[in-house]
Amino acid sequence: MNRKEFLDILRDYLKKDFSEDEINDIIRDYEEYFVNSEIEGKSDLDTIAALGSPKSIARDLINQIKDEDRTNNKKDKIEDIYINSKRKIKESCFKCKDFLEEKLTPSLSNDNSLSNKGVRVILFLLSLLLIIPAFMAVCFMAFIAGMLALSLITFLVTIPLMISFSWAASEIACFFIFLSIGFQILAWQVFVFIVKYMKKIYKTYINWVKTRKIYINASKAKEDMNMEEYKGGKDNE
């Protein structure tokens, strides 16, 4: 078997599982391998003996493609599970939000919704329940802020020591200085992000409670108006 026959047989084995462009790329790689072997003084038979049969080469290439496909399929499945889980969590949150808004919003019509007093009691209990975790979150963030401030002060104090140490081991000292600076920047950025997010949650909750109070006041005003109309009708009688 010579070089041309080897490549033709290999091409024939690859036709079922590879496109024409992919086959041409593979054949080109093996042609280069033959050329390099020829430069090294090897004959085609020696090169073919080193490569193995075209059938085994094609089988290895096909198995490699299948392994890559399996890996990609696993990644796709994991991504699908993540996306579906995220979507379900969002849907559950929106349903819970809609349910709470429906039940905790006094209706201006005469239906079976909660009374103003009932809504006020639930809002009070809900706020009371949220006070403890909110207080714990504030204390935790204050503790983190204190630790970050202490870390920053320690870093600033130790800078002269690091600079003096840099005379003996400049590379190590510079590494630790830049590492400390990077840590400080990253830590403060994360801290500020969390604080902003907590502030956003707090504002959202306060606005939600204010909206409920607006509905309560409107419902109460309508009840008072209906009561006055009822009394006025009785007086006219």
Side-chain angles (χ1 to χ4, degrees):
M1 183 188 299
N2 57 28
R3 180 190 311 184
K4 185 177 182 306
E5 291 173 342
F6 178 89
L7 296 176
D8 288 341
I9 295 171
L10 179 60
R11 181 185 291 274
D12 188 60
Y13 276 120
L14 296 174
K15 282 182 180 178
K16 293 181 181 179
D17 298 280
F18 293 89
S19 65
E20 191 65 28
D21 292 336
E22 290 173 335
I23 293 173
N24 290 333
D25 290 337
I26 294 170
I27 296 299
R28 192 179 300 112
D29 291 338
Y30 280 95
E31 284 178 345
E32 290 180 3
Y33 188 84
F34 273 101
V35 171
N36 292 331
S37 298
E38 187 177 357
I39 293 172
E40 293 174 0
K42 296 179 182 179
S43 65
D44 288 350
L45 290 176
D46 294 334
T47 305
I48 291 170
L51 288 173
S53 67
K55 185 176 181 179
S56 63
I57 293 173
R59 184 175 61 247
D60 292 340
L61 290 172
I62 292 168
N63 290 334
Q64 182 180 351
I65 293 297
K66 288 181 178 179
D67 290 339
E68 290 177 358
D69 290 340
R70 287 195 201 100
T71 304
N72 292 332
N73 289 334
K74 286 181 180 178
K75 289 181 179 178
D76 292 339
K77 286 181 180 178
I78 293 172
E79 288 179 359
D80 290 339
I81 292 172
Y82 170 74
I83 292 171
N84 290 331
S85 301
K86 188 177 179 181
R87 179 175 53 80
K88 288 180 180 179
I89 291 172
K90 279 187 175 181
E91 289 177 355
S92 300
C93 291
F94 282 127
K95 285 181 181 179
C96 181
K97 181 183 176 183
D98 293 339
F99 176 79
L100 288 174
E101 287 187 351
E102 180 182 355
K103 294 299 180 183
L104 297 181
T105 301
S107 177
L108 299 180
S109 60
N110 294 323
D111 55 8
N112 295 324
S113 62
L114 288 173
S115 63
N116 293 336
K117 188 175 180 180
V119 174
R120 286 181 184 274
V121 170
I122 293 175
L123 288 176
F124 174 76
L125 293 175
L126 184 62
S127 300
L128 198 62
L129 287 173
L130 292 175
I131 284 176
I132 296 175
F135 178 74
M136 292 176 64
V138 171
C139 291
F140 177 74
M141 294 307 296
F143 172 76
I144 295 297
M147 294 298 294
L148 289 175
L150 182 62
S151 174
L152 180 60
I153 293 171
T154 304
F155 170 69
L156 294 175
V157 170
T158 55
I159 283 180
L161 181 62
M162 290 183 180
I163 293 174
S164 62
F165 180 72
S166 65
W167 293 104
S170 58
E171 294 181 356
I172 297 175
C174 290
F175 171 76
F176 278 107
I177 289 173
F178 284 113
L179 182 66
S180 300
I181 293 173
F183 171 77
Q184 291 292 332
I185 293 173
L186 179 63
W188 280 105
Q189 283 181 339
V190 172
F191 177 77
V192 170
F193 172 78
I194 294 174
V195 170
K196 286 183 178 179
Y197 190 74
M198 291 175 65
K199 187 178 179 182
K200 182 180 178 182
I201 293 174
Y202 171 76
K203 285 185 176 180
T204 302
Y205 177 73
I206 294 299
N207 290 333
W208 183 76
V209 172
K210 286 181 178 179
T211 305
R212 304 286 80 73
K213 287 184 177 180
I214 290 172
Y215 278 101
I216 290 172
N217 294 333
S219 179
K220 189 174 183 302
K222 186 174 181 182
E223 287 178 1
D224 294 340
M225 189 182 300
N226 292 336
M227 185 64 69
E228 289 178 1
E229 290 178 357
Y230 177 74
K231 287 181 180 179
K234 272 197 167 184
D235 292 339
N236 292 331
E237 291 177 359

